[in-house]
Amino acid sequence: MSPMERTLVIIKPDGVQRGLIGDIVARLERRGLKVAALKMIHMDETLARKHYAIHEGKPFFEPLVKYITSAPVVAMVMEGRKAIEIVRKTLGATNPAIAEPGTIRADYALEIGRNLVHGSDGPDTAKTEVALFFDENEILSWARCSDPWIFE
Ligand code: IDP
Ligand code: MG
């Protein structure tokens, strides 16, 4: 059986501004993923540049930093077996225009530069991104009464 994973999810400024926090959290939660940490923050430029460091130098990097720091975001740690891959699949392709219907990006967004949500793309990035946004004591290990009905 695959081990429990933790992954970072961010509801980006467009998701917050458009009143979609509840819908986005609900979609992830109702799949069975467990919220291990959640907070609203206004990302500063230093955090944004660190978080998106891999994209530095690309044409969309500066607009991306501007977008992600333009207004508050909601940062979450989601937990579950295969949580990293499951979150990515639930969010959909980076470009909402070609994301599969039924994914968050396809159902709520149109453009790549306003794609609502972030999800870590692998075990290494999940670890570093979670640590970038949350102190260890902000992440809760808790028994959810529905766990045995979700995890075999
Ligand atoms: P991901 O968020 O699906 O992992 P990445 O390729 O890591 O996608 O890109 C990070 C973020 O940068 C995207 O979610 C999107 O907000 C933005 N981005 C990526 N490519 C483009 C682009 O071509 N134009 C505008 N923004 C982009
Ligand atoms: Mg990425």
Side-chain angles (χ1 to χ4, degrees):
M1 210 167 287
S2 39
M4 287 290 168
E5 289 178 348
R6 283 175 172 170
T7 187
L8 182 79
V9 176
I10 303 171
I11 303 174
K12 296 178 179 181
D14 44 344
V16 174
Q17 293 289 335
R18 292 175 54 197
L20 296 174
I21 298 171
D23 285 19
I24 292 168
V25 174
R27 277 177 172 235
L28 295 165
E29 227 184 351
R30 82 179 177 210
R31 275 212 79 173
L33 293 161
K34 179 153 73 175
V35 178
L38 188 152
K39 65 183 172 189
M40 193 171 194
I41 57 165
H42 196 136
M43 288 173 65
D44 64 17
E45 212 184 302
T46 309
L47 179 60
R49 287 181 184 280
K50 260 191 209 160
H51 175 64
Y52 282 125
I54 193 159
H55 297 302
E56 205 165 347
K58 295 181 187 167
F60 62 83
F61 181 69
E62 294 302 330
L64 175 60
V65 170
K66 203 164 174 204
Y67 159 52
I68 205 75
T69 58
S70 62
V73 302
V74 171
M76 295 176 274
V77 179
M78 307 289 303
E79 196 174 272
R81 277 198 191 101
K82 298 202 167 179
I84 299 166
E85 185 190 340
I86 285 168
V87 163
R88 292 281 292 187
K89 285 196 170 146
T90 308
L91 304 189
T94 306
N95 184 351
I98 59 162
E100 290 289 329
T103 62
I104 292 170
R105 282 166 169 167
D107 290 355
Y108 294 99
L110 293 171
E111 296 194 358
I112 195 165
R114 296 289 182 270
N115 63 358
L116 288 177
V117 274
H118 168 84
S120 308
D121 66 5
D124 295 341
T125 41
K127 220 179 174 72
T128 50
E129 289 178 1
V130 164
L132 191 58
F133 282 79
F134 290 93
D135 292 333
E136 198 49 51
N137 65 5
E138 290 180 297
I139 307 167
L140 307 188
S141 293
W142 58 290
R144 188 176 51 175
C145 63
S146 57
D147 281 345
W149 302 104
I150 292 166
F151 301 113
E152 202 179 330

